[in-house]
Amino acid sequence: MVDVDLGKLVPKEAINKLYDDALSPSVKQLGKLGEDAMKTARLILAPLQLTAAWQDRFAAMVEACAG
């Protein structure tokens, strides 16, 4: 079996250029997709967050009245 060091065969500049030209836009798009998915999840869960906030306020009001 031949032991080949790719770092010696392919210059680092070529690897960086490949990333910048080919992979970087795809990685950026995946990041944006993930961000959009999280925004959508937060929007869907907003009614639950509001209900929980109202529950906290109601519990504080009941405690203040009882105490």
Side-chain angles (χ1 to χ4, degrees):
M1 184 170 194
V2 178
D3 192 20
V4 177
D5 186 10
L6 289 177
K8 292 180 181 177
L9 291 176
V10 180
K12 280 189 175 183
E13 295 82 21
I15 293 173
N16 288 338
K17 180 88 170 126
L18 173 69
Y19 175 78
D20 289 341
D21 291 345
L23 300 178
S24 183
S26 299
V27 172
K28 287 178 185 177
Q29 287 296 319
L30 282 174
K32 288 180 183 179
L33 178 66
E35 182 180 354
D36 289 344
M38 289 305 299
K39 285 180 180 179
T40 302
R42 289 186 68 190
L43 183 62
I44 291 171
L45 295 174
L48 293 175
Q49 292 175 331
L50 288 172
T51 304
W54 289 335
Q55 166 61 30
D56 291 341
R57 285 185 176 187
F58 179 72
M61 184 182 69
V62 169
E63 188 175 315
C65 290

